[in-house]
Amino acid sequence: MRNTTGSLRARFREHPRACDAALAVALAVAAVPCAYVTPLFGAAPPREPDALSLTLIVAGCLSAALRGGRPFLALTLVCLAQIAPAMTGRSTSLLWLVTLVLVYSIAAHRGLAVSLGAPALGLAAHLASAALGGRLGDVRAHLPVAVLIAAAWIVGRNVRLRRAYQAELGDRARRMERAREADRRAARAEERSRIARELHDVVAHHVSVMTVQASAARRVLAADPGRAGEALSAIEELGRTAMTEMRSMVGVLRTDAAPAERTPQPGVAEIPALVDQMSEAGLRTRLCVEGEPGTLSPGVDLAAYRLVQEALTNSLRHAGPRARAWVTLRHGPGELTVRVEDDGRGPATRDPGAGPDIDPDAEPGGHGLTGIRERVALYGGILRIGPRPGGGFEVNARFPLKDRR
């Protein structure tokens, strides 16, 4: 039963003009026999209808077919058809019902100011036809017609407001869906950017250290095979570490697989091991920790580690064979300061007079220090990258710490 009702409503919505025409024909067919019946509202029975009055009644009923496109024109025609038979004292049959239908249609499809003219015109036509036909009598006898016209207008206005409300709900749902889709796209883009930064940090660091170790092994291979073997062992260990970290990050993208167990991300606690690794790779590095270490948020913890890793990797690649590096971690009240300095020559492409924001990761496609800037900015920190006053290069970042315990 519900499916049948729904299909009928769908057909009515698809063919509104046909429905209006069918309604008009039904009213016209019913109006002819009703013209011989005493009207519901009137003071005296009407005269026998003639051909002219029947034609006007049928024409007035058929004008209801215009209610979907030009309802005011249809209402005007009905009012004229209602007045003409009344002048000769003949019945207006069902034209009052057609008036109610058109008043409802105007109220349901037109604005408030325009729709207010419909009940006024319908009531005026009824009173005029009653007065011309000598059936005016007591005005209170025509009060039911006024009530019906007002009720038709109120129902039409309620239907219009309900449609507007439903349209607003639909539009709001579409806007919310577009906003959710935009949020999903932004989240995916942010996640891709995060994974790209992590992959760059892991690959750039380990590959750079492996390159230095391989170069050292090549130089001492003939003279000192033992040291060359140690360098090759270090390269093997670094390669395995890099592959493990890359698998853990790329595994996040495999949504069709079962969620894998996540390994902890590196943080400030792993910086001493990183310093030892860089020292073994040939960059003499010293770590200095000032203040009492406290609890850091996972994001700041990872950002500090990646900053030190990227800065030391750049020092290893650009500072020169005899360069030294210093890593300073200062735990202060409400902030964490991370400073990485070296006394090397820096990248060959660096212009000494270019100012404090020189990026040593200057090879084509380099994104290391750009990623560091994004990390520091993400947590509201302040970053300075540039040459040291006494020579060398410096990366200095301050992270504000919130809700630190």
Side-chain angles (χ1 to χ4, degrees), residues 181-214:
E181 182 61 27
D183 291 341
R184 284 194 291 266
R185 287 196 299 268
R188 287 194 295 266
E190 182 179 357
E191 184 65 12
R192 286 195 296 267
S193 177
R194 185 191 69 80
I195 294 174
R197 287 196 303 266
E198 295 293 331
L199 283 173
H200 175 274
D201 292 342
V202 171
V203 173
H205 169 71
H206 289 91
V207 171
S208 296
V209 177
M210 290 166 65
T211 302
V212 173
Q213 294 279 27

Side-chain angles (χ1 to χ4, degrees), residues 98-124:
V98 180
T99 301
L100 295 181
V101 172
L102 294 175
V103 168
Y104 162 83
S105 300
I106 293 173
H109 296 91
R110 296 295 184 269
L112 177 61
V114 176
S115 66
L116 285 174
L121 181 60
L123 183 60

Side-chain angles (χ1 to χ4, degrees), residues 226-248:
R227 289 184 58 188
E230 293 177 0
L232 292 175
S233 299
I235 292 173
E236 181 183 4
E237 183 180 354
L238 286 170
R240 289 176 178 172
T241 303
M243 289 299 298
T244 301
E245 292 192 35
M246 288 175 62
R247 285 196 189 100
S248 67

